[in-house]
Amino acid sequence: MPRFSICISVFNGERYLRACIDSVLNQSFSDYELIIVDDASSDGSAAILEEYAENDKRITVIRKSQNEGLHLGHRTAIEKCSGDYILFLDADDEFEEGLLGKVDGALREDQQIDMLHFGIRVIGEGVSDESCSSFESFVNQPVETLEGVDVLSSVFGGRGSYRQDWRMPQRAFSARLLKDAFSKMPVQRLDCAEDAFEMFVISSLASKEVTRNDIIGIRYHLGRGLNGASPWTADKFASVAESFWACSSQIQQYADSFRSRDSLAAAKGAKRKLMQLLFNDWRVRVLNDEKMASIEKVSSVLDTSVVSSEVMRCVRDASYKKLTMGEGPCADDIQAWRDTAYRIADGGNANSVNFASYLSAADDHIRSVREMERVARFADEPIRVFVSAHKPVETFDSMVFQPVQVGATRAGERFSWALHDDEGDNISDLNPMYCELTTQYWAWKNVDAEYIGFCHYRRYFDFSETPHEENIYGEVMDDYIDVAAQCKYALDDASVRDVIKQFDVITTPMEDICSYMGEGASIRSQYDAADRLFVKDLDKVVDILISHHPEYEEDARAFLAGHTGRFCNMFIMKRDIFRDYCAWLFPILEEFVVSTDMSLYSKEGVRTPGHLAERLLNIYLLHHERIGSGWKMKQLQCVHFTNPDKYYLPTALSFGSENKPVIPVVFASDNNYVPMVTTTIYSMLKNASDDYRYDIVILHEGITWENQDAMKAFFGKFENAGLQFCDVSRFVNQYDLTTNNPHISNETYYRFLIQQLLPYYGKVLYLDSDLIVKGDVSELFSVDLGDNLLAAVRDVDYCGNLNMKDGIRMRYTKEVLGMRQPFDYFQAGVLVLNTKAMRELHPMEKWLEFASDDRYIYNDQDILNAHCEGCVKFLDYDWNVMTDCYGRIGRIFSFAPAAIFDAFNDSRNHEKIVHYAGAQKPWKVTSCDRFGLYWEYAKDTPFYIQLADILHTESVKQKLAEEAAIDDHESAVSEDSPLRKVVDPIAPFGSRRREVLKSIGRAVRGLK
């Protein structure tokens, strides 16, 4: 019986076959048998095998009459094996010298090993060195000794990340293990990914695997055969996909037969990895003009959720590669892939848990690629107005306004959406002193355009014909750089080009500084009044100017003594004028910088050259006006945008390799409501299933960074949740949003933004921030919406009002809301939203227009009911149980139809969500229904004391005074409790705050 059996299956491999066989025969260790299966080759392979078999009795050749594929080839070879251990070798690879002797030594060191993993050397065949190095690093990574189920998990990621490959030829197997494993495999043809299925079965049965990647055993030729770089047609890809799917299905069937949690988890990991490998090849190998057709073809072979998710992942990766390396398809092609994947996913309703995160990242990358491609076309523009920016800011959709990253040579992040002031001849490293002048210098030295101009990231010219109101400094103030602003100030390319071409020089208006500095002010005194600048520097630069250009002295003296000037250092000039100005300006500034010691200046003081240039521009223009240079000049208002920073939409959170569904949950809040929304989220996560991941988005206006950080730190302990904030002020501020109910804030309208702000989700859970969630929200989210717009609970309060004898609410519901079935009115504090369908019904802007209608009583809720009637899935009352606010259960709810009222009352025995709707809130009055329940959760949050202080109002003080009979020694916190160390300093004995905390403690413990 030989020590080793070496198995080779070959089909039409004559090109590499001799080198393969010779690498075995040249081994110094000779105790082996070589079994070669000729899988019905039609080339010269058979003759080569016959020749070798005649010359070496250790070689056995098995010739098949018809081709059956690698899996059955392996099976046939194993049946003939008689060795203690079995190794596989592909017919287009070779053994390294000395492999068998080293493997034998390793196996003798530990008799319990039934799988030995060794290393390979990767040789590129038409593939990049980077690809070879990356693949070699992965398959040769160190792995600890594995035993039992860890062998399976390490390869297929069932209980962790992928640590090992599933390559058969990179292992030596005990014959007992291999024969047992193959006896459990089907006798059917499997191609392409057959080694994944084989290794799955083998790994599930293995007892112990040792990794010795220091033993380099295989010369692996990456690029030959199926792993080659030859392009694929759509038909070829569909064929390969069928093979991958067949192997994936076999893995699932085998795992199902085991019925163990580990094998089922590993099967999911195997499927995920197989699909990733398949679609990596789709991105790299399928011909570009065949890609769309290949997606359609493969959608009939694989689950559409898999196709949509994997294509979207490829979109993400391709767009990122284009963005970072400049390689790959253009944005239009990548966008086409994205749109197809989105369509297949039914507008974001893909079952894949990763689809949303792939889509979110892909859309962000594609936008950046488009910006990068736009930047590449900037040089072709005859009119170039450069917008200096040192941080990510919003820009207009324009080819004329071209952002430039200033100080780029020192920047940590290089903006793909901007030009850079450190390219070509530049002074980028002087940006701390020269400010936006580094852009100006770069343009002077490197740009050839008919017109060259400059704006700042927050200041633009107003090209409209409408005069706009200015502040005392001569600036038009506005909020956001967006489409509305572009329209308002005529900042579209056509309007801008039309104005610029009529003039030689465009500047900001001439402003009189006496309007804000008082009579007698001068430009020189204005500079002197700046507390971080020194007027001696202004005098010095003027002296330098006069020494170089004495003809400018009259203009310089007049300007400094005067009280008018053009500010902001913004201008647009014809090319020759611009070049003349720069040739005049920069030598003056250079001499000033060289001859001035600014080492002890403040940060603003160091920017002195930038401030001086603003004055020198005025002198330059005054001079040419005085001497009659004949320039046609125009003054345009300056628009100052107060919120120019780049706006980031929420992103679908990725939870790594965890193969768990993601539930997006949205809340609305402001800074004052932070303690409340924190309590609601905490209650939700405390009771949520760990079988899901929760992507929590808080839509807000003005939540401070400190509070955001505190919330992120607190919820960071929930590994199954991610928290992000989205400031929505730029959306809602465009509308006149008011509420007719004093207990309802404008945050209630934020639910209308969800469909646009989270475009990558087709289904979203919205929760108000005055809830306690006792149930598992994964159950709520799993409701089948069908074609409905949303799921909600009927509003028992509203239904009670509908049944009042005065008929007021009934008339309102029919006449104003236009509802045909008034008793189908739902409560909007808990909603499962079909955001895909809502997007199709109305765009976000239309929903907000509806919200501006002041006829509504419960503005946002009424709007939803009016527009969603007949498309609502009604939930059990358990999911939105409103509290008995001021006795409204008896006063109002009891008027509702009996079936509705009975269902509501029953829900109070098994509440899943308690809703503190109305004026009575548990952080305001201790008499609030379900007060103790609220504080069970609130007490654990970082805002506990803040909530207690809110509760500590004058009304509560009065109530506590009336309850003075409570024993002084009774305490909500026991003497030996560790909480005493926290409570005592903030709520000393005898203080009113301590009395509040005592009342909370009693309520939590169910005491009166």
Side-chain angles (χ1 to χ4, degrees):
M1 179 184 295
R3 178 66 166 166
F4 296 113
S5 294
I6 301 161
C7 301
I8 300 173
S9 184
V10 59
F11 173 68
N12 290 345
E14 65 173 331
R15 183 177 178 184
Y16 310 113
L17 190 52
R18 289 186 182 277
C20 176
I21 297 173
D22 287 344
S23 73
V24 177
L25 299 180
N26 290 334
Q27 293 290 309
S28 56
F29 186 95
S30 60
D31 187 12
Y32 63 83
E33 62 179 354
L34 176 57
I35 300 171
I36 306 175
V37 177
D38 181 4
D39 199 12
S41 298
S42 58
D43 64 357
S45 297
I48 295 173
L49 294 177
E50 184 178 351
E51 173 191 334
Y52 274 93
E54 289 179 355
N55 294 325
D56 196 316
K57 298 304 180 183
R58 293 173 299 181
I59 299 176
T60 298
V61 176
I62 304 170
R63 180 166 176 77
K64 293 190 175 186
S65 59
Q66 61 181 21
N67 181 265
E68 294 181 326
L70 263 177
H71 172 60
L72 293 181
H74 287 165
R75 188 182 190 91
T76 299
I78 291 170
E79 289 174 351
K80 294 292 184 180
C81 290
S82 59
D84 297 329
Y85 292 90
I86 299 173
L87 289 85
F88 294 94
L89 181 61
D90 289 339
D92 54 358
D93 294 324
E94 302 97 33
F95 278 166
E96 289 279 9
E97 294 181 6
L99 167 65
L100 295 182
K102 294 175 183 177
V103 169
D104 178 64
L107 292 172
R108 293 186 185 281
E109 290 176 7
D110 187 345
Q111 301 295 320
Q112 303 302 313
I113 297 174
D114 50 14
M115 266 205 304
L116 178 72
H117 186 290
F118 48 83
I120 66 172
R121 178 161 59 93
V122 178
I123 302 170
E125 302 282 355
V127 297
S128 68
D129 291 342
E130 179 186 359
S131 296
C132 292
S133 176
S134 176
F135 183 73
E136 186 174 291
S137 296
F138 172 68
V139 296
N140 286 341
Q141 63 183 311
V143 178
E144 71 279 10
T145 295
L146 301 167
E147 296 185 5
V149 72
D150 288 338
V151 178
L152 181 66
S153 297
S154 72
V155 179
F156 297 98
R159 298 194 301 179
S161 60
Y162 304 101
R163 289 175 287 168
Q164 282 194 309
D165 61 285
W166 58 54
R167 288 178 42 75
M168 299 276 285
Q170 204 170 340
R171 289 172 168 86
F173 305 89
S174 75
R176 176 199 53 78
L177 169 64
L178 219 54
K179 289 179 181 290
D180 183 27
F182 270 80
S183 72
K184 292 177 168 57
M185 300 180 198
V187 184
Q188 71 177 67
R189 183 185 185 105
L190 294 174
D191 292 313
C192 298
E194 80 293 330
D195 54 344
F197 170 55
E198 292 169 350
M199 274 302 300
F200 191 92
V201 178
I202 296 167
S203 298
S204 72
L205 301 172
S207 299
K208 184 175 185 178
E209 180 180 24
V210 170
T211 298
R212 286 289 305 275
N213 288 338
D214 57 309
I215 301 174
I216 305 301
I218 300 286
R219 291 192 292 273
Y220 177 66
H221 296 270
L222 182 61
R224 289 180 180 175
L226 182 65
N227 293 319
S230 58
W232 287 352
T233 63
D235 288 337
K236 173 64 175 177
F237 178 69
S239 174
V240 174
E242 281 192 75
S243 297
F244 270 66
W245 191 249
C247 291
S248 177
S249 299
Q250 286 295 332
I251 289 173
Q252 188 63 55
Q253 289 178 31
Y254 178 79
D256 288 342
S257 69
F258 255 58
R259 296 184 180 179
S260 75
R261 183 171 182 175
D262 289 313
S263 64
L264 290 173
K268 288 183 179 180
K271 178 181 178 181
R272 184 166 62 246
K273 189 64 176 177
L274 279 168
M275 294 301 102
Q276 288 175 354
L277 293 173
L278 174 65
F279 280 89
N280 285 346
D281 275 331
W282 175 85
R283 180 168 69 88
V284 174
R285 299 185 66 174
V286 175
L287 295 165
N288 281 338
D289 57 0
E290 296 263 343
K291 273 193 163 60
M292 304 305 291
S294 69
I295 296 175
E296 300 295 341
K297 281 183 176 292
V298 82
S299 293
S300 64
V301 176
L302 310 178
D303 285 349
T304 54
S305 62
V306 172
V307 177
S308 58
S309 182
E310 287 302 319
V311 171
M312 196 61 77
R313 179 181 62 83
C314 290
V315 170
R316 180 202 64 180
D317 295 346
S319 55
Y320 181 75
K321 185 175 182 180
K322 181 74 172 182
L323 188 63
T324 56
M325 302 177 64
E327 299 176 3
C330 66
D332 286 344
D333 287 343
I334 300 175
Q335 181 75 44
W337 305 350
R338 179 264 184 211
D339 292 345
T340 300
Y342 190 77
R343 174 179 56 79
I344 293 173
D346 192 23
N349 282 332
N351 293 326
S352 168
V353 298
N354 290 317
F355 180 83
S357 62
Y358 294 154
L359 173 59
S360 176
D363 283 351
D364 185 55
H365 293 339
I366 291 172
R367 281 192 295 270
S368 297
V369 170
R370 289 195 183 281
E371 291 172 341
M372 185 177 70
E373 291 177 346
R374 183 178 66 174
V375 170
R377 301 194 302 273
F378 278 166
D380 299 330
E381 278 294 310
I383 298 174
R384 305 181 68 179
V385 180
F386 299 109
V387 182
S388 299
H390 68 280
K391 61 180 181 178
V393 293
E394 290 295 324
T395 59
F396 291 112
D397 182 11
S398 170
M399 291 297 294
V400 172
F401 292 107
Q402 303 181 0
V404 180
Q405 182 179 7
V406 294
T409 190
R410 297 171 176 232
E413 175 190 2
R414 201 164 183 83
F415 303 153
S416 62
W417 46 269
L419 298 162
H420 306 94
D421 71 349
D422 63 346
E423 296 172 345
D425 192 351
N426 69 85
I427 55 171
S428 176
D429 60 324
L430 298 180
N431 180 257
M433 285 193 299
Y434 278 71
C435 310
E436 69 274 2
L437 292 181
T438 58
T439 299
Q440 189 174 316
Y441 185 94
W442 168 83
W444 173 37
K445 295 295 185 180
N446 301 285
V447 173
D448 184 21
E450 294 178 24
Y451 286 88
I452 298 173
F454 301 90
C455 293
H456 306 165
Y457 67 88
R458 65 169 69 245
R459 293 185 178 90
Y460 285 78
F461 287 110
D462 178 0
F463 283 87
S464 72
E465 296 179 356
T466 304
H468 291 100
E469 182 181 354
E470 298 177 345
N471 63 13
I472 62 172
Y473 302 108
E475 294 181 324
V476 178
M477 304 303 294
D478 209 325
D479 294 324
Y480 303 105
I481 295 173
D482 53 22
V483 174
Q486 190 166 25
C487 180
K488 181 178 181 179
Y489 302 111
L491 292 168
D492 59 285
D493 285 351
S495 300
V496 171
R497 289 181 182 122
D498 183 60
V499 172
I500 290 176
K501 288 180 179 179
Q502 300 178 51
F503 301 96
D504 299 307
V505 177
I506 294 175
T507 67
T508 54
M510 188 73 76
E511 301 293 341
D512 188 344
I513 64 172
C514 291
S515 63
Y516 57 88
M517 293 195 67
E519 293 296 326
S522 67
I523 296 297
R524 187 178 184 280
S525 68
Q526 178 207 33
Y527 195 95
D528 192 24
D531 55 4
R532 288 177 175 79
L533 302 178
F534 304 98
V535 74
K536 63 182 178 62
D537 291 331
L538 178 61
D539 294 336
K540 180 177 180 178
V541 83
V542 169
D543 290 340
I544 294 172
L545 161 64
I546 294 172
S547 68
H548 283 275
H549 305 282
E551 69 275 18
Y552 278 78
E553 182 173 6
E554 177 182 343
D555 311 292
R557 303 301 181 196
F559 174 66
L560 293 183
H563 52 84
T564 60
R566 305 170 177 92
F567 299 102
C568 297
N569 210 14
M570 293 166 53
F571 62 84
I572 303 170
M573 298 176 177
K574 275 190 170 180
R575 174 176 47 216
D576 291 343
I577 298 174
F578 171 68
R579 288 177 174 173
D580 179 74
Y581 170 59
C582 290
W584 173 87
L585 172 69
F586 283 103
I588 296 170
L589 292 177
E590 182 180 8
E591 183 171 335
F592 171 82
V593 169
V594 169
S595 61
T596 305
D597 181 8
M598 292 186 285
S599 61
L600 299 180
Y601 280 23
S602 67
K603 189 170 183 178
E604 184 62 31
V606 172
R607 295 158 56 94
T608 290
H611 291 288
L612 296 176
E614 189 175 12
R615 278 71 183 177
L616 290 171
L617 171 63
N618 280 272
I619 296 171
Y620 179 81
L621 295 174
L622 285 173
H623 174 74
H624 282 279
E625 288 175 323
R626 180 175 63 81
I627 66 175
S629 295
W631 297 343
K632 191 174 182 180
M633 300 181 66
K634 174 73 172 178
Q635 295 182 16
L636 295 177
Q637 286 185 290
C638 171
V639 185
H640 182 144
F641 294 100
T642 56
N643 296 288
D645 290 7
K646 198 167 188 65
Y647 184 74
Y648 295 99
L649 291 173
T651 58
L653 297 182
S654 173
F655 292 93
S657 61
E658 287 283 359
N659 191 25
K660 296 182 179 180
V662 175
I663 297 177
V665 190
V666 177
F667 296 85
S669 180
D670 62 11
N671 198 54
N672 293 327
Y673 233 69
V674 162
M676 299 77 172
V677 73
T678 301
T679 302
T680 299
I681 296 172
Y682 176 62
S683 70
M684 181 192 77
L685 293 177
K686 282 279 286 186
N687 297 301
S689 169
D690 193 46
D691 292 334
Y692 295 82
R693 295 292 178 255
Y694 303 90
D695 184 358
I696 301 169
V697 178
I698 298 180
L699 307 181
H700 73 99
E701 284 187 86
I703 293 182
T704 65
W705 289 109
E706 292 80 7
N707 278 340
Q708 290 185 35
D709 288 343
M711 291 180 69
K712 288 178 178 178
F714 176 60
F715 290 117
K717 63 185 177 183
F718 292 96
E719 295 181 358
N720 63 338
L723 177 66
Q724 52 187 325
F725 296 83
C726 177
D727 190 323
V728 299
S729 55
R730 67 172 54 235
F731 298 105
V732 297
N733 288 349
Q734 300 176 43
Y735 300 89
D736 182 21
L737 302 178
T738 57
T739 59
N740 293 322
N741 189 317
H743 307 300
I744 300 175
S745 65
N746 280 355
E747 282 73 34
T748 192
Y749 296 113
Y750 295 176
R751 71 198 75 197
F752 294 130
L753 310 179
I754 295 171
Q755 63 188 56
Q756 179 168 320
L757 298 182
L758 282 74
Y760 32 82
Y761 289 124
K763 185 179 182 182
V764 174
L765 177 60
Y766 171 83
L767 299 177
D768 274 350
S769 299
D770 55 354
L771 314 173
I772 289 297
V773 184
K774 297 172 63 178
D776 177 1
V777 292
S778 69
E779 296 177 12
L780 172 60
F781 190 75
S782 66
V783 63
D784 184 4
L785 290 174
D787 294 329
N788 290 305
L789 292 167
L790 55 84
V793 172
R794 278 189 177 86
D795 192 336
V796 64
D797 185 310
Y798 198 92
C799 291
N801 277 285
L802 285 171
N803 258 353
M804 295 293 180
K805 284 185 177 180
D806 58 18
I808 294 174
R809 186 63 59 83
M810 182 65 75
R811 287 193 298 274
Y812 166 80
T813 307
K814 290 182 176 180
E815 296 171 8
V816 178
L817 302 187
M819 291 185 67
R820 298 179 300 278
Q821 301 293 332
F823 289 101
D824 278 348
Y825 188 99
F826 58 83
Q827 215 283 337
V830 177
L831 299 171
V832 184
L833 298 171
N834 184 345
T835 48
K836 172 182 177 290
M838 294 192 73
R839 281 189 285 267
E840 294 171 353
L841 178 64
H842 294 305
M844 178 194 75
E845 292 78 10
K846 195 67 177 176
W847 287 111
L848 289 174
E849 284 181 21
F850 296 148
S852 301
D853 190 334
D854 61 6
R855 296 178 301 157
Y856 297 124
I857 300 174
Y858 304 107
N859 304 58
D860 66 303
Q861 187 165 278
D862 285 355
I863 293 162
L864 287 169
N865 274 279
H867 289 271
C868 298
E869 185 183 16
C871 297
V872 177
K873 172 82 171 183
F874 288 102
L875 301 168
D876 292 339
Y877 278 96
D878 305 28
W879 289 112
N880 191 350
V881 183
M882 290 189 288
T883 54
D884 190 15
C885 180
Y886 293 119
R888 63 184 172 185
I889 291 179
R891 291 187 302 104
I892 300 173
F893 296 6
S894 61
F895 282 83
I900 293 176
F901 184 59
D902 287 346
F904 166 78
N905 267 334
D906 180 65
S907 71
R908 283 172 62 84
N909 298 316
H910 36 76
E911 305 152 323
K912 293 180 179 176
I913 292 181
V914 175
H915 190 173
Y916 298 89
Q920 275 193 319
K921 304 291 188 184
W923 55 88
K924 289 185 177 180
V925 291
T926 57
S927 59
C928 175
D929 182 25
R930 303 297 196 267
F931 177 83
L933 172 67
Y934 190 86
W935 287 95
E936 283 181 29
Y937 294 96
K939 65 182 175 60
D940 294 334
T941 73
F943 302 103
Y944 172 41
I945 297 304
Q946 190 172 332
L947 278 169
D949 276 342
I950 296 172
L951 188 59
H952 188 201
T953 61
E954 290 301 320
S955 61
V956 175
K957 292 178 186 178
Q958 179 62 37
K959 186 172 181 62
L960 291 176
E962 295 171 358
E963 296 177 349
I966 298 176
D967 292 339
D968 290 339
H969 67 272
E970 182 187 34
S971 174
V973 182
S974 64
E975 292 298 322
D976 58 350
S977 170
L979 286 176
R980 291 293 300 272
K981 295 180 180 179
V982 176
V983 172
D984 289 352
I986 63 175
F989 282 102
S991 69
R992 290 190 176 92
R993 178 184 276 177
R994 192 175 190 90
E995 291 302 311
V996 172
L997 296 184
K998 285 164 64 179
S999 69
I1000 293 170
R1002 288 192 296 273
V1004 169
R1005 291 179 291 143
L1007 302 175
K1008 297 297 184 183

